[in-house]
Amino acid sequence: MNSKKFLIAFDADDTLWVNEAFYNEAEQKLESLVGPYLKTSLLKEQLYEMETRNLSIFGYGVKGFILSMIETAIEITSEQIKGSEIQQIIDVGKDMLTQPIKLLLEVQETILHLENEYDLMIITKGDLFDQESKIARSGIADHFRFIEIVSEKNEEVYLNILKKNEIDSNRFMMVGNSLKSDILPVVNIGAHAVHIPADTTWQHEQISDFEKAKMQYHELTSMGQLPALLDQVFRNNQNREK
Amino acid sequence: MNSKKFLIAFDADDTLWVNEAFYNEAEQKLESLVGPYLKTSLLKEQLYEMETRNLSIFGYGVKGFILSMIETAIEITSEQIKGSEIQQIIDVGKDMLTQPIKLLLEVQETILHLENEYDLMIITKGDLFDQESKIARSGIADHFRFIEIVSEKNEEVYLNILKKNEIDSNRFMMVGNSLKSDILPVVNIGAHAVHIPADTTWQHEQISDFEKAKMQYHELTSMGQLPALLDQVFRNNQNREK
């Protein structure tokens, strides 16, 4: 990479824009659809169990989530769910795929502030088509020099991205809401990681307190704090090179 | 790109391995499921119409196809389809996503023959997760220097790939079964294109005879003919450089 000195990569869902809240909303709509069939209220647990079971076949993203919702609805209603209700589940999913992008607080200003000094990147996982569509609809795509949509975020994937962009790990920083996907593998390859927790995070993206305690990473409460942190982290490197 | 002289890119589905046949098989299974509900046999047309309608929401790939099969089944049976039958449709889709990869005739030998002389690449469109999984299961992934999974194959996408790999269009050749995705946009950016028709090609990937007649591209009946064609096409360039 032959331009700026540092590469700052952002996760997209629940880091740049709202995402998990729409999954939770969909779950509530599913609950009201299948509710009349149920004696117990184990829907949430069964849906998560189904999503986990299907992950190796469908991967991440809304389309797999819709299919898991349908399968859960069939299973939990002992196949009594009606065709019209399944159509409603699909429509809930289509709404998720087409709704306007809601940028999170301070995202726009922070990106504008940083783009002159740093190379900015998006690294997001999920459906290729859905993620591309969200990035296009976000209105901030042009501020990112690189965009990577990957099927999984692990050490190997991050190492490949660094290699492809010819950047050392100590010049790379990942910013995201998921300790499991955005922080843990990045810390493990010796790069910088900044955790900005989201209001709600999918169960699948959580890690144990034990793992948390071992890791060296930065924690911020809002995106607006990022520029100051960057100054602090990268100032040393810059001075050394002068 | 600083290695070999020419970049030969292959489409994957129905160029390297069987794909459309599995969609057709799934369609037949759907037909036998909804058949008892139907007076007419317009399933094929309605499914295609649904797929086309959903393309801008779901993109290409099996997961979107499963959802379109379910929606078609609900619509065509006037919502009478049962939960257990919808589960069977999902299972048909899961089989598509997990079945073994069947390489097409002469693919393996041709790839092995070409890899020493040319840089080989896969350019495929569809679900990121599904395509990665198929490439991994194909057993031939290691022979390709570059792999690109894209959500659409148009001139802009091909130009970006050439730019990223720093290769001139006259040193790039695309090999594929779809005139619409593998040939037309490639010819339009001044690169070489080789059409190897598949036994069956999805309606969506077909183009008019008028468009066909305008294009300059190579047509082969089997993959085994590719090495000889490459010798012929690129010999001139190579001699000129000696």
Side-chain angles (χ1 to χ4, degrees), chain A residues 58 63 87 94 132 151, chain B residues 58 63 71 94 132 151:
Chain A
F58 296 146
K63 283 178 286 183
Q87 184 60 53
K94 285 187 175 177
E132 280 184 359
S151 62
Chain B
F58 295 146
K63 283 179 285 183
E71 281 201 87
K94 283 186 175 177
E132 280 184 0
S151 63

Side-chain angles (χ1 to χ4, degrees), chain A residues 50 54-60 63-64 66-67 70-71 74-75 79 81-84 86-87 90-91 94 97-98 126-129 132 149-152 164, chain B residues 50 54-60 63-64 66-67 70-71 74-75 79 81-84 86-87 90-91 94 97-98 126-129 132 149-152 164:
Chain A
M50 184 68 80
N54 282 338
L55 206 54
S56 67
I57 303 175
F58 296 146
Y60 297 97
K63 283 178 286 183
I66 306 175
L67 289 164
I70 296 173
E71 281 202 87
I74 294 171
E75 193 176 270
E79 304 178 345
I81 186 117
K82 297 191 197 102
S84 58
I86 288 179
Q87 184 60 53
I90 296 178
D91 292 340
K94 285 187 175 177
L97 288 167
T98 51
D127 273 342
L128 182 59
F129 185 82
E132 280 184 359
I149 300 167
V150 296
S151 62
E152 188 56 91
K164 218 163 79 174
Chain B
M50 184 67 79
N54 282 339
L55 205 55
S56 67
I57 303 175
F58 295 146
Y60 298 98
K63 283 179 285 183
I66 307 175
L67 289 164
I70 297 173
E71 281 201 87
I74 294 171
E75 193 176 271
E79 303 179 347
I81 185 120
K82 296 191 197 99
S84 59
I86 288 178
Q87 184 60 53
I90 295 178
D91 292 340
K94 283 186 175 177
L97 288 167
T98 51
D127 272 343
L128 182 59
F129 185 82
E132 280 184 0
I149 301 166
V150 296
S151 63
E152 189 58 271
K164 219 163 77 175

Side-chain angles (χ1 to χ4, degrees), chain B residues 15-18 100-108 138-140:
Chain B
T15 297
L16 298 178
W17 51 67
V18 179
I101 300 301
K102 260 174 70 181
L103 290 184
L104 287 163
L105 220 63
E106 303 171 344
V107 162
Q108 181 121 30
S138 73
I140 54 171

Side-chain angles (χ1 to χ4, degrees), chain A residues 71-103:
Chain A
E71 281 202 87
T72 305
I74 294 171
E75 193 176 270
I76 209 167
T77 66
S78 308
E79 304 178 345
Q80 296 308 301
I81 186 117
K82 297 191 197 102
S84 58
E85 291 163 330
I86 288 179
Q87 184 60 53
Q88 286 180 63
I89 296 174
I90 296 178
D91 292 340
V92 166
K94 285 187 175 177
D95 285 347
M96 291 176 75
L97 288 167
T98 51
Q99 69 206 338
I101 300 301
K102 258 174 71 180
L103 290 184

